[in-house]
Amino acid sequence: MARTVWDSSVGKKAVMAVSGIFMLLYLVVHMIGNLKIFFGPGEFNHYAHWLRTLGEPFMHYEWTLWLIRVALVAAVVAHAVSAYQLSRRDLRARPSKYVHRKARASYATRTMRWGGVILGLFIVWHLLDLTTGTVHAGGFQEGHPYQNVVDTFSTWYGNVVYIVAVLALGLHVRHGFFSAAQTLGAGSRTRNRALRAVADVLALLLTAGFVAVPVGVMTGVVS
């Protein structure tokens, strides 16, 4: 049954919707945690340490954090694979271009695929920068996330990469949330306007919340 559901377009859209909602919830929590950087290095570093001790003593050190990471990787892979396969299926269904041009979709809709690629590449860079320190500028300091964040956003390219990715994220969330709601049956003629408004607000809040950190470093508010 699971294979039958996965092979159908409806099943793939459902996988995209559920994995997208899961990642959206994570992003909201992640953004709130990031904003703790405005309360100083002590509180931000304490928050980062708390994440690693979450669930103790029942869970071992960092076990809960690793479970969250594994779940996120699974969600990202499921989301990306289903999106790619749906895209290929759509192209096979109409290999030639339409004779009459379709009505122009919104900018977010037309950039969903490229936005997904940008976000996928950003995730890799973000992990190599602030988790492993492989591409980190200024000397990665294990156990000092506040200083690592300041180092990253003290470089022009760190700010450019991050802000471009966050803008792509805002567009992705704006379109993706509404599409997920439709796929999961939450949409209707009376609720669609409210769902679009929620999508707009979520996209705006996430964009502003994530961009606030590099802007804080650039302006000296976070130093």
Side-chain angles (χ1 to χ4, degrees):
M1 182 179 293
R3 182 58 186 268
T4 301
V5 172
W6 171 250
D7 286 341
S8 69
S9 294
V10 173
K12 293 182 189 300
K13 289 179 180 179
V15 169
M16 280 191 68
V18 173
S19 59
I21 294 296
F22 175 75
M23 289 187 289
L24 180 59
L25 291 174
Y26 167 79
L27 286 169
V28 171
V29 174
H30 187 45
M31 179 198 70
I32 294 172
N34 281 0
L35 293 177
K36 286 182 175 291
I37 200 167
F38 290 99
F39 295 96
E43 183 154 348
F44 190 74
N45 290 340
H46 176 69
Y47 164 69
H49 176 72
W50 172 80
L51 287 175
R52 286 158 175 76
T53 60
L54 190 63
E56 288 187 345
F58 178 74
M59 299 292 284
H60 192 63
Y61 182 76
E62 283 197 340
W63 278 13
T64 302
L65 185 59
W66 273 106
L67 286 175
I68 295 172
R69 288 169 175 167
V70 170
L72 281 170
V73 169
V76 169
V77 171
H79 197 79
V81 170
S82 54
Y84 173 77
Q85 292 183 354
L86 282 169
S87 176
R88 298 301 301 172
R89 184 170 294 183
D90 184 51
L91 290 174
R92 286 197 300 269
R94 49 179 180 84
S96 58
K97 293 183 178 180
Y98 290 107
V99 175
H100 301 288
R101 181 171 295 181
K102 298 175 65 178
R104 288 176 64 86
S106 69
Y107 185 76
T109 302
R110 288 184 281 116
T111 56
M112 278 294 285
R113 290 170 186 169
W114 281 112
V117 172
I118 291 172
L119 291 173
L121 294 174
F122 170 73
I123 289 171
V124 175
W125 178 84
H126 196 51
L127 291 173
L128 292 176
D129 178 33
L130 292 176
T131 300
T132 66
T134 307
V135 298
H136 185 74
F140 184 76
Q141 300 181 48
E142 185 70 37
H144 295 81
Y146 182 94
Q147 188 58 50
N148 292 333
V149 170
V150 171
D151 288 343
T152 289
F153 297 129
S154 295
T155 63
W156 68 268
Y157 59 86
N159 289 306
V160 169
V161 169
Y162 192 85
I163 291 174
V164 167
V166 169
L167 293 176
L169 172 67
L171 291 173
H172 210 77
V173 168
R174 182 175 181 268
H175 177 73
F177 177 83
F178 182 77
S179 297
Q182 301 302 308
T183 298
L184 297 176
S188 70
R189 183 173 298 180
T190 57
R191 288 196 294 263
N192 281 348
R193 180 175 294 182
L195 288 171
R196 290 187 186 279
V198 171
D200 290 342
V201 171
L202 276 173
L204 181 62
L205 287 177
L206 285 171
T207 301
F210 280 117
V211 168
V213 177
V215 170
V217 175
M218 284 189 288
T219 56
V221 174
V222 177
S223 63

